[in-house]
Amino acid sequence: MRQVTVTEHLLLHQKESPMATGRFTSMLNELILAAKIISREVNKAGLVDVLGLTGEVNVQGEAVRKLDDYANDILIYRMERAGVLCAIASEENADVIEIPENMPQGDYILIFDPLDGSSNIDANVNVGTIFSIYRRKSNCKCGATLADVLQKGADQVAAGYFLYGTSTMMVYSTGRGVHGFTMDPSVGEFLLSHPDIKTPGTGKIYSVNEAYWIYWDEATREAVSYFKSTDNSRGKPYSQRYIGSLVADFHRNLLYGGIFLYPADMQDPKKPRGKLRLMCEANPLAFLIEQAGGKATDGEIDILQIEPSELHQRVPLFIGSRNDVDKVMEIYRKHKK
Ligand code: P6P
């Protein structure tokens, strides 16, 4: 198949889209550069000791720190220089990061989880960077406000993730389908490998950490029981697959079909809305799954319709094949009555 780069794909397939502007393309290319640097470091994570790197200072003379801190710093450094952003928000930073005044500003807002699943790196488990892009709502040329950042997921102009695994992949959407690119390390380019991804209407996989069963409410227990029983639409149990790295679990279910569940649990009264974050995890993945024909809910409403109130607010997440997510919503509705 003729190689198609991300830039070529954007220009070819987004011709009529406002996303084919040079500014958006250059932002995406900066994001790709950051991901290539992160991928390089993630792929040698296990070698920090073997390569004789003391774990203190690496060959570039940079301090070798926790990879998620490193990924966060790389993304902020590169993206604040992209010249197209007015604000950045990261899972690793409590507050919105304003673009320094001495740097060119733009109208886009970038929200990301720099290295989701990073606790799995030492076991060589796939990890990923999740990103979400909005346009600012306020039209003043002053710095972006929190209201500019706290937009509902339906207002995203683009979203995607980089998956650092057996190969490094980029999956993204600008609202015209979901497209996957695989890094060809021999040329250092992401090449189109999964054009126009569509997820099956009904899956064969359910992904949830069942260790929390005792903390779930009755509706959640009934929903999970449905997928592991014989009285579901398949007439047999779904396969249970759970890597414990959101991007990896999401990516597998996107391609094969299935549902990922991270319900609210009462184990930690500080987190009655579960563990995953709306702005940098649920919203971007919900944007993608909707574009791929699937669905995402917090159990009651569409993730993309949730009006955010806090930058790091958490949300229960049921995401994947449309019919499977609909089933969860049907069960939740029944229990609400
Ligand atoms: P648990 C990783 O720490 C993460 O944030 C997601 O990548 C993953 O889906 C989830 O937490 C796993 O959480 O509670 O099952 O260990």
Side-chain angles (χ1 to χ4, degrees):
M1 182 162 86
R2 189 176 64 79
Q3 297 96 346
V4 176
T5 64
V6 177
T7 302
E8 183 183 348
H9 186 265
L10 252 181
L11 296 174
L12 276 177
H13 294 263
Q14 320 282 339
K15 266 199 289 292
E16 64 286 358
S17 152
M19 309 316 299
T21 65
R23 300 173 66 70
F24 183 82
T25 306
S26 73
M27 171 172 51
L28 214 51
N29 285 327
E30 286 293 341
L31 204 48
I32 287 170
L33 175 57
K36 287 177 182 176
I37 296 168
I38 295 167
S39 174
R40 178 193 67 196
E41 293 307 307
V42 164
N43 289 335
K44 69 182 183 191
L47 296 174
V48 166
D49 299 328
V50 172
L51 284 184
L53 296 178
T54 59
E56 296 304 321
V57 176
N58 67 14
V59 289
Q60 290 88 5
E62 296 151 348
V64 179
R65 290 169 297 157
K66 275 171 50 116
L67 272 171
D68 45 7
D69 290 344
Y70 179 80
N72 195 46
D73 291 352
I74 290 289
L75 281 159
I76 293 170
Y77 180 85
R78 291 253 46 95
M79 297 318 293
E80 63 186 4
R81 285 158 177 76
V84 292
L85 296 175
C86 59
I88 294 172
S90 166
E91 188 198 40
E92 300 288 331
N93 296 63
D95 303 313
V96 173
I97 302 157
E98 294 208 4
I99 306 303
E101 284 187 5
N102 64 331
M103 294 193 181
Q105 310 276 322
D107 291 341
Y108 290 111
I109 292 158
L110 175 67
I111 304 173
F112 55 74
D113 180 352
L115 205 60
D116 180 81
S118 53
S119 57
N120 296 300
I121 281 186
D122 296 344
N124 200 22
V125 169
N126 291 6
V127 294
T129 297
I130 309 172
F131 62 90
S132 170
I133 299 171
Y134 293 86
R135 276 190 192 286
R136 73 181 299 167
K137 293 263 194 216
S138 58
N139 55 18
C140 70
K141 286 304 168 198
C142 53
T145 63
L146 186 58
D148 281 311
V149 178
L150 293 183
Q151 299 183 44
K152 64 182 182 184
D155 292 340
Q156 290 173 98
V157 294
Y161 56 82
F162 295 94
L163 181 60
Y164 311 110
T166 43
S167 58
T168 297
M169 278 198 73
M170 171 185 176
V171 175
Y172 88 109
S173 175
T174 60
R176 284 175 166 72
V178 180
H179 310 285
F181 298 77
T182 301
M183 167 79 82
D184 176 343
S186 67
V187 293
E189 273 293 345
F190 281 104
L191 302 178
L192 182 65
S193 53
H194 297 70
D196 200 19
I197 299 172
K198 293 298 177 194
T199 199
T202 303
K204 301 176 182 165
I205 293 169
Y206 78 101
S207 308
V208 69
N209 186 339
E210 299 214 32
Y212 302 141
W213 178 272
I214 52 170
Y215 301 121
W216 292 338
D217 60 18
E218 281 313 309
T220 303
R221 289 179 178 181
E222 183 178 331
V224 173
S225 299
Y226 168 83
F227 293 112
K228 53 199 282 188
S229 71
T230 53
D231 57 7
N232 56 45
S233 60
R234 299 184 66 229
K236 59 183 180 180
Y238 286 48
S239 295
Q240 210 278 351
R241 296 284 184 275
Y242 192 73
I243 300 170
S245 187
L246 175 60
V247 179
D249 278 316
F250 176 84
H251 184 69
R252 179 205 52 242
N253 291 4
L254 173 71
L255 297 183
Y256 296 169
I259 183 167
F260 174 93
L261 310 94
Y262 205 106
D265 63 47
M266 303 315 153
Q267 131 195 16
D268 179 347
K270 293 196 301 297
K271 287 194 298 182
R273 298 282 291 157
K275 172 180 186 181
L276 300 178
R277 290 171 175 78
L278 175 63
M279 298 307 291
C280 63
E281 291 170 324
N283 269 339
L285 298 184
F287 184 82
L288 289 174
I289 203 71
E290 290 261 344
Q291 284 291 315
K295 193 166 186 174
T297 178
D298 66 353
E300 295 178 31
I301 65 169
D302 185 327
I303 291 286
L304 297 177
Q305 295 307 323
I306 296 176
E307 288 292 353
S309 53
E310 292 167 29
L311 188 57
H312 295 287
Q313 75 185 68
R314 298 172 195 264
V315 67
L317 181 62
F318 305 91
I319 186 167
S321 294
R322 180 166 292 273
N323 300 333
D324 296 332
V325 174
D326 281 341
K327 184 63 185 176
V328 171
M329 296 179 81
E330 176 195 313
I331 292 170
Y332 266 68
R333 271 195 301 276
K334 184 180 72 173
H335 281 260
K336 244 177 99 69
K337 283 177 185 151

